[in-house]
């Protein structure tokens, strides 16, 4: 090639060891993708690779979800991967993208419902000791009750009942009613990562610290089997950000969550 440059083409990647090595360079940024290497999620994944950059397309939800994250200095390389992969991506997707990558995909897709988010990580677990941990472990038998709580307290929340099988859901009951819960979207002792999710408190009992208490209890459980506890939160949810910071979490990266519709389908 002219100038000594070598063209590196995008390709599908099926080797979990290779993917783990690439994603493990930054396990906090790539916590969700690392978790999806587990047998639990692996059948629902498609992976694209270009050099050291990796993109995940997750099919285990109603609308496929694209995850594309990179450190700021590697975003141009990841943009190149997305540009090559764009023609074979689904016509409609949800996406989590490092800042600026939505503009890259905007050449092929209409971008809508974009919202800025923070990736946070538990960087000061010592602060958990200052919050009274509350709650009991929940399991698969609690799925219907949990769904009812989410319908009232967290409508539109994405909840995969299979995650109850991990044993990493903690809830508080009052008068026999489930009123607060914290759970996980990802839990992988193999890759030593977890991502909190499905955290909510019933409107009738908010302001009493139950949300902080179940998160503290869950984090204590998680830290016995993983090294990195992460979460995603909307940047404009100031109350949630303050809560997580009080529990020892720090903002470590920003990303955009958005809907993507191919220009042809949108037209």
């Amino acid at each position: 090639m002219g100038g000594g440059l070598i063209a590196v083409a995008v390709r599908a990647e099926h080797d979990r060891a290779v993917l783990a090595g690439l994603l493990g360079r930054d396990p906090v940024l790539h916590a969700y993708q690392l978790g999806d290497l587990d047998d639990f999620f692996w059948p629902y994944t498609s992976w694209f690779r270009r050099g050291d950059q990796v993109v995940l397309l997750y099919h285990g939800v109603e609308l496929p979800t694209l995850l594309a994250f990179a450190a700021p200095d590697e975003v141009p390389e990841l943009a190149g991967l997305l540009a090559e992969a764009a023609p074979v991506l689904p016509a409609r997707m949800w996406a989590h993208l490092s800042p600026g990558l939505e503009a890259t995909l905007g050449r092929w897709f209409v971008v809508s419902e974009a919202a800025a988010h923070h990736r946070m990580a538990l960087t000061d677990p010592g602060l958990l000791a200052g919050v009274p941990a509350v709650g009991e472990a929940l399991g698969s038998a609690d799925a219907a009750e949990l769904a009812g709580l989410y319908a009232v307290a967290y409508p539109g929340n994405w909840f995969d009942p299979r995650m109850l099988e991990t044993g990493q859901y903690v809830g508080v009951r009052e008068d026999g009613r489930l009123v607060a819960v914290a759970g996980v979207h990802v839990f992988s002792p193999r890759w030593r990562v977890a991502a909190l999710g499905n955290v909510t408190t019933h409107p009738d009992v908010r302001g009493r610290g139950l949300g902080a208490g179940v998160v503290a209890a869950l984090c204590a459980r998680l830290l016995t089997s993983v090294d990195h506890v992460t979460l995603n939160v909307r940047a404009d949810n100031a109350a949630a950000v303050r809560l997580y910071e009080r529990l020892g979490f720090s903002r470590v990266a920003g990303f955009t969550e958005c809907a993507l519709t191919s220009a042809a389908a949108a037209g």
Side-chain angles (χ1 to χ4, degrees):
M1 292 290 179
L5 297 178
I6 299 175
V8 180
V10 64
R11 64 186 181 91
E13 181 59 70
H14 306 289
D15 189 323
R16 276 191 266 194
V18 169
L19 290 166
L22 294 170
L23 298 168
R25 296 180 304 153
D26 191 337
V28 169
L29 185 62
H30 298 300
Y32 278 78
Q33 291 136 302
L34 281 167
D36 287 343
L37 295 176
D38 280 346
D39 291 344
F40 195 78
F41 293 114
W42 178 255
Y44 305 100
T45 63
S46 297
W47 302 84
F48 301 94
R49 176 187 169 198
R50 183 177 188 264
D52 290 340
Q53 300 305 312
V54 173
V55 166
L56 164 63
L57 184 65
Y58 180 68
H59 308 277
V61 286
E62 183 176 352
L63 194 65
T65 300
L66 183 74
L67 278 71
F69 299 118
D73 62 335
E74 295 183 349
V75 166
E77 185 180 351
L78 183 54
L81 186 163
L82 286 174
E84 293 185 13
V88 298
L89 293 175
R92 290 182 174 83
M93 298 175 289
W94 199 248
H96 295 181
L97 307 169
S98 284
L101 293 176
E102 65 274 19
T104 298
L105 288 170
R107 296 164 54 190
W108 294 272
F109 295 89
V110 175
V111 180
S112 60
E113 302 180 54
H117 283 67
H118 298 308
R119 171 65 50 81
M120 302 186 76
L122 184 58
T123 55
D124 190 356
L127 292 179
L128 293 170
V131 178
V134 296
E136 61 189 71
L138 303 178
S140 297
D142 302 297
E145 191 176 6
L146 264 174
L149 174 60
Y150 292 135
V152 174
Y154 198 176
N157 170 57
W158 177 68
F159 169 52
D160 184 346
R162 297 185 310 147
M163 294 306 294
L164 287 166
E165 299 170 20
T166 65
Q168 303 301 322
Y169 272 70
V170 174
V172 171
R173 284 188 171 88
E174 291 189 348
D175 300 323
R177 181 180 65 152
L178 191 63
V179 295
V181 64
V184 291
H185 285 157
V186 165
F187 172 65
S188 177
R190 179 178 183 182
W191 309 113
R192 309 294 297 178
V193 296
L196 300 188
N198 302 131
V199 178
T200 196
T201 304
H202 195 286
D204 292 347
V205 298
R206 287 176 182 167
R208 292 170 40 193
L210 294 180
V214 290
V215 171
L218 177 57
C219 286
R221 291 173 64 90
L222 291 170
L223 288 173
T224 65
S225 51
V226 306
D227 298 324
H228 303 284
V229 179
T230 70
L231 61 88
N232 294 337
V233 62
R234 278 183 64 117
D236 60 4
N237 191 346
V241 172
R242 285 196 300 270
L243 167 65
Y244 291 124
E245 288 177 336
R246 182 161 64 90
L247 291 167
F249 286 82
S250 300
R251 287 170 273 184
V252 296
F255 69 94
T256 300
E257 188 173 309
C258 60
L260 301 175
T261 306
S262 72

